[in-house]
Amino acid sequence: MFNILKNRLDQGYRTTGYPNEKINLPSSYRGRPRINRHAPAEVIAECAAACPQDAIDISGKLIDMGRCVFCGTCEHISKGEFISFTQDFEISVSEKKHLLTDGGLPALAEHSKQHFKKLFGRSLQLRQVSAGGCNACEADLNVLATPFFDLARFGINFVASPRHADGIVVTGPVSKNMKTALLKTFEATASPKVVIAVGSCALTGGPFRGSPEIAEGLDSILPVDLFIPGCPPHPLTNLHALLTFFK
Amino acid sequence: MKTDFLQISNGEAIGREKIPHLSFDNFYRNALSIIRVGGKVVHYFAFSDKGKIKLMAVLRKDTLKVASCDAPDVYPSMTSQCEPFHMFEREIAEQYAIRPEGHPWLKMVRYHANFLNRQDVFGNDYTRDIPGNFDYYAVEGQEVHEVAVGPVHAGVIEPGHFRFNCIGERVLNLEIQLGYQHRGVEKMLPGVAPKRLPVIVEGIAGDTAVGYGLCMSQAVEALSSLQADPGAQIIRTIALELERIANHVGDLGALSGDVAFLPPANYFGRMRGDFLNMTLLICGNRFGKGLVRPGGTRFALTEEIRKALNERISELTPQVKHVINLLLTNSSVQSRFDDCGAVTKADAEKLGLVGPAGRACGLPYDVRRCFPTGHYGQLNIPENAKPTGDVHARATVRGEEILQSLEIITTLLSAPVKTRSIENRKLSLAPSSFVVTLNEAWRGELSHCILTDADGAILRYKVKDPSFHNWNGLSMALRDTEISDFPLNNKSFNLSYCGVDL
């Protein structure tokens, strides 16, 4: 008993004040990209050629945050001249076309559907489905239950059954072998329901695009309401998306 | 014609002409005789070379050994005589349609069509997307009942199917069927643009991104002129140990949660995040994705970061020690952990268990000590095998490894680390060559194998996650255990679904 109390004092209070207080992530973190549209054409071409995800649109001078794994290769080789990554983690969007960006993103709160806020604003129960995910996205969703983020204080929980859920959160490139199970989970969720795609794989197939064993984007299978980019998205990106879209 | 396996080194490339190409009989006899005297299978796979299908095995005892042979369409199964071949023979049958006659449980590993469009060994129609709809190991009897779990589980975890045969609460047999995560990685890797290789490899199992990046980078380095400088080797070691700590800490938290002892569950959960954030500080990604590349690391360790890491490690070390102590000395925790899901050393040997799961059964094997690469040759990795093989042993081994890894990191951070950060380089691999790399990832022996063709293109990229050995250990642990103890046992192993499914 004494040991339990001693450890409790040792650990202290750890929950973040976000969203009321601002959080600054370290400068090494790569969040929303910033694009210099006046960068020389050869620099842009060099970045596009080096990008392992082929996420750079040369003619439009845009980056596809759905494909991007935020590795920072383009920032490195252009020394920030074309693309640099800011520490802004609030990067989720409600329409897929907004993932292709010049660095600007529409305010998520204004794009969220009002009836979602009315339905789910006070209580949102989500069922997570990993469909070919590498366990990084899954881990950084799971972490929202730990004391630092404490997702439950916002009335949002991950639940064990789709029957108890208001929507599903899908990670992974939707492997062929998981497609049926995913669709059954979706069907088992009571309407009205939401679908949230988390991570580069669920958005576009991520690193595995081109493989015949996966789908390139969850939106080709189910209607997606919220797109959360990253490889994996930072837990704060997930938290911001859920709070802004539904609260 | 050569008749024996060739001794090789971890991470050293050799010309493929040097690999003994044996007659099938010699290959078969030699492989079995090495395993019978305590050897283990690191790799056993098929590949296609100029239209010919060949088999290759990398075995380990005190040293690593390799040989190949021409693959017959059908051959007498090695598994029936020597258990460690079990999963490997099933994988070969699935990927290259080679039937091991007399295999005791010949069933697909991942549920996909074979690479050669040959007739399927299992008689499956892969246009039907319903994996799992096949026969399972069944126990008959009036009071025997089956429990089916998954692929979608209750928690936020990866998909897999578990089929229990029980009598009352007691589990007679657990069969684990994976494949739901299959993304076609091995088929994809030889053909992709080289710049995509690191990103794909790190995505095979994201909780082991550093381990995967390291195996791939060391293999590519051995096949090219690229070399990682000593500073980069140190950063890689720090990152691999941080990965180990974060995962072990998280799993100890999950174990606390499963026996409803909530204080450590919450503390470990929070501290796991602190370790992931240290990796983020180094490379911008909590899982270390994007850090390790052929030729070094993409991020240097600045003095500012080194100072910050040192401060965090010294703040966290006593907290971690206290919470491990809180968990493992609590009497109600002990009563749940002790004797739960025990695997005997003899069974662990036969299954070829690796990593913490193997060490908890008294098998001290640790790649960092037995086949060290990079900076590990200069470190003293202590043995921490435990004899009991139960949940308590697996938890204790992980607890001890956390403290060892903290010590390793503290030592490595004590002096400035100098390296040049590198970007993806143009890859030019040695033609007609072979390399195998092994690393002790947090789950155990992770190994990659690359074969190149006469033009230096990748002919075969073979990946083996430690979980490929260990899933059957979990099945074994559940024998005669109460089904309600399944979550606890599952967490104590915490194996990779995607690492096996590829």
Side-chain angles (χ1 to χ4, degrees):
Chain A
M1 192 64 209
F2 176 71
N3 201 355
I4 296 175
L5 292 173
K6 187 179 145 294
N7 266 287
R8 182 70 197 87
L9 290 172
D10 214 18
Q11 291 284 330
Y13 182 79
R14 297 284 180 170
T15 305
T16 170
Y18 184 85
N20 298 327
E21 287 165 29
K22 205 171 168 319
I23 291 192
N24 291 317
L25 288 175
S27 59
S28 54
Y29 169 75
R30 291 175 294 277
R32 183 173 53 78
R34 188 191 294 140
I35 287 185
N36 171 20
R37 296 185 64 83
H38 306 296
E42 63 272 18
V43 174
I44 299 174
E46 202 188 342
C47 289
C51 175
Q53 288 297 97
D54 294 320
I56 294 169
D57 173 352
I58 300 182
S59 56
K61 299 177 185 172
L62 304 169
I63 182 165
D64 183 350
M65 289 202 312
R67 280 192 173 189
C68 181
V69 291
F70 298 81
C71 66
T73 299
C74 51
E75 183 180 33
H76 260 207
I77 62 167
S78 74
K79 300 195 173 60
E81 207 185 337
F82 174 46
I83 293 178
S84 55
F85 288 90
T86 68
Q87 277 68 58
D88 179 5
F89 55 81
E90 301 179 345
I91 54 175
S92 303
V93 298
S94 60
E95 285 177 59
K96 197 173 188 185
K97 63 179 186 208
H98 293 144
L99 289 169
L100 192 63
T101 176
D102 61 359
L105 292 173
L108 183 62
E110 287 161 22
H111 276 73
S112 71
K113 296 169 185 143
Q114 283 312 310
H115 70 282
F116 279 172
K117 294 200 175 201
K118 200 174 154 206
L119 282 167
F120 306 126
R122 283 165 178 272
S123 162
L124 177 65
Q125 312 299 316
L126 296 167
R127 170 66 245 188
Q128 204 274 326
V129 184
S130 168
C134 77
N135 209 18
C137 285
E138 291 79 355
D140 266 353
L141 285 167
N142 232 343
V143 80
L144 295 176
T146 61
F148 181 81
F149 302 100
D150 192 14
L151 189 65
R153 72 196 150 117
F154 303 107
I156 307 174
N157 290 293
F158 285 97
V159 293
S161 167
R163 299 279 190 213
H164 307 158
D166 302 310
I168 56 171
V169 180
V170 183
T171 52
V174 193
S175 48
K176 248 190 206 169
N177 288 351
M178 255 318 271
K179 191 177 166 190
T180 306
L182 170 67
L183 292 177
K184 283 190 174 174
T185 309
F186 177 73
E187 279 163 24
T189 310
S191 291
K193 53 192 162 191
V194 296
V195 177
I196 304 170
V198 173
S200 174
C201 287
L203 266 43
T204 61
F208 307 102
R209 92 202 118 80
S211 168
E213 298 286 338
I214 59 146
E216 302 200 352
L218 176 67
D219 62 322
S220 66
I221 297 169
L222 291 173
V224 178
D225 300 295
L226 185 54
F227 300 84
I228 308 183
C231 186
H234 194 280
L236 286 168
T237 306
N238 292 324
L239 184 61
H240 166 262
L242 294 176
L243 295 182
T244 315
F245 198 65
F246 295 106
K247 300 296 281 184
Chain B
M1 197 174 206
K2 287 172 191 161
T3 57
D4 204 359
F5 275 61
L6 173 76
Q7 187 177 324
I8 51 168
S9 302
N10 182 9
E12 214 175 279
I14 55 169
R16 276 176 50 204
E17 74 285 352
K18 294 205 178 102
I19 299 174
H21 192 72
L22 312 179
S23 69
F24 178 75
D25 288 347
N26 270 331
F27 178 86
Y28 187 84
R29 215 175 18 247
N30 275 307
L32 282 177
S33 69
I34 293 171
I35 303 302
R36 276 207 190 100
V37 292
K40 295 283 177 293
V41 186
V42 178
H43 285 285
Y44 175 39
F45 60 90
F47 64 101
S48 168
D49 183 22
K50 294 178 200 142
K52 265 178 124 176
I53 310 301
K54 295 175 179 172
L55 293 171
M56 180 169 277
V58 179
L59 309 175
R60 71 170 160 88
K61 203 162 168 272
D62 305 327
T63 57
L64 293 169
K65 291 177 176 196
V66 67
S68 66
C69 69
D70 288 335
D73 290 341
V74 180
Y75 70 95
S77 157
M78 300 203 219
T79 309
S80 53
Q81 302 183 49
C82 223
E83 291 86 346
F85 290 100
H86 173 152
M87 292 303 288
F88 294 96
E89 287 195 319
R90 282 170 58 180
E91 185 184 48
I92 291 170
E94 182 163 58
Q95 293 183 335
Y96 286 86
I98 300 166
R99 177 186 288 275
E101 207 63 66
H103 189 288
W105 196 240
L106 187 60
K107 192 171 173 179
M108 41 278 166
V109 180
R110 313 185 170 103
Y111 195 83
H112 63 76
N114 64 59
F115 294 176
L116 305 169
N117 297 321
R118 281 196 191 173
Q119 198 190 344
D120 190 57
V121 168
F122 315 99
N124 289 329
D125 172 11
Y126 294 97
T127 53
R128 298 165 68 212
D129 65 344
I130 38 170
N133 191 13
F134 29 70
D135 291 341
Y136 286 86
Y137 189 86
V139 182
E140 284 182 5
Q142 221 175 5
E143 290 176 42
V144 174
H145 65 103
E146 281 193 0
V147 180
V149 183
V152 178
H153 300 279
V156 183
I157 54 168
E158 299 174 65
H161 183 81
F162 300 93
R163 186 68 63 96
F164 299 87
N165 281 282
C166 302
I167 187 154
E169 292 285 293
R170 189 159 65 94
V171 177
L172 299 173
N173 186 64
L174 160 63
E175 186 180 347
I176 299 167
Q177 182 63 47
L178 304 182
Y180 297 93
Q181 300 275 69
H182 182 61
R183 297 148 293 178
V185 171
E186 280 189 0
K187 206 174 169 190
M188 186 178 181
L189 282 174
V192 297
K195 65 177 181 178
R196 292 182 61 188
L197 187 62
V199 179
I200 296 173
V201 166
E202 286 173 336
I204 294 175
D207 52 22
T208 318
V210 177
Y212 271 83
L214 197 51
C215 271
M216 180 274 302
S217 296
Q218 288 174 341
V220 169
E221 282 160 13
L223 291 171
S224 64
S225 55
L226 299 175
Q227 257 186 328
D229 62 38
Q233 308 271 24
I234 290 176
I235 297 172
R236 289 171 169 191
T237 308
I238 293 172
L240 191 65
E241 295 306 321
L242 277 175
E243 185 169 89
R244 189 182 324 280
I245 297 173
N247 283 296
H248 284 347
V249 164
D251 284 347
L252 289 181
L255 285 173
S256 328
D258 275 346
V259 296
F261 188 34
L262 297 182
N266 284 306
Y267 306 156
F268 279 128
R270 188 270 300 175
M271 293 190 295
R272 174 173 171 278
D274 289 340
F275 287 107
L276 293 177
N277 286 340
M278 283 190 228
T279 307
L280 179 126
L281 197 59
I282 299 173
C283 70
N285 185 293
R286 281 160 54 94
F287 295 83
K289 288 185 173 184
L291 174 63
V292 186
R293 288 291 181 272
T297 57
R298 284 185 57 235
F299 301 90
L301 196 69
T302 63
E303 276 302 283
E304 195 189 345
I305 292 176
R306 188 174 73 91
K307 196 164 151 266
L309 289 177
N310 264 321
E311 281 167 10
R312 292 191 196 185
I313 291 277
S314 40
E315 190 197 327
L316 275 164
T317 303
Q319 291 178 8
V320 171
K321 279 185 185 161
H322 294 161
V323 183
I324 291 177
N325 173 273
L326 174 65
L327 175 70
L328 294 178
T329 60
N330 184 287
S331 56
S332 63
V333 170
Q334 281 172 355
S335 76
R336 286 294 307 278
F337 283 14
D338 279 355
D339 299 325
C340 181
V343 180
T344 64
K345 188 177 176 184
D347 285 341
E349 285 270 11
K350 285 186 179 173
L351 294 167
L353 299 193
V354 293
R359 291 192 279 278
C361 301
L363 307 178
Y365 176 62
D366 185 324
V367 181
R368 296 176 294 173
R369 204 181 54 249
C370 301
F371 302 109
T373 50
H375 194 73
Y376 284 105
Q378 297 169 49
L379 295 173
N380 183 21
I381 309 288
E383 278 194 20
N384 65 341
K386 300 277 171 260
T388 50
D390 53 4
V391 171
H392 187 260
R394 290 187 282 274
T396 314
V397 165
R398 281 154 173 268
E400 285 177 6
E401 285 182 17
I402 292 169
L403 301 181
Q404 288 162 7
S405 297
L406 280 167
E407 222 169 276
I408 292 171
I409 294 175
T410 311
T411 316
L412 295 178
L413 285 173
S414 63
V417 181
K418 282 206 184 73
T419 185
R420 216 161 35 87
S421 74
I422 54 127
E423 233 350 298
N424 292 343
R425 310 253 191 94
K426 279 242 156 34
L427 299 182
S428 139
L429 304 181
S432 304
S433 297
F434 159 88
V435 67
V436 61
T437 56
L438 290 82
N439 277 291
E440 186 73 16
W442 65 277
R443 287 190 184 95
E445 178 196 271
L446 173 66
S447 182
H448 291 197
C449 197
I450 302 181
L451 290 164
T452 57
D453 65 14
D455 303 321
I458 296 176
L459 179 71
R460 179 80 160 105
Y461 196 120
K462 186 78 199 81
V463 176
K464 190 212 59 192
D465 190 274
S467 304
F468 197 68
H469 297 282
N470 287 357
W471 274 111
N472 281 323
L474 174 59
S475 288
M476 195 49 83
L478 258 288
R479 290 244 167 123
D480 275 332
T481 301
E482 273 188 42
I483 191 168
S484 52
D485 278 335
F486 173 69
L488 188 59
N489 277 283
N490 191 23
K491 247 49 141 313
S492 72
F493 280 89
N494 192 8
L495 302 172
S496 180
Y497 302 72
C498 53
V500 168
D501 288 350
L502 298 173

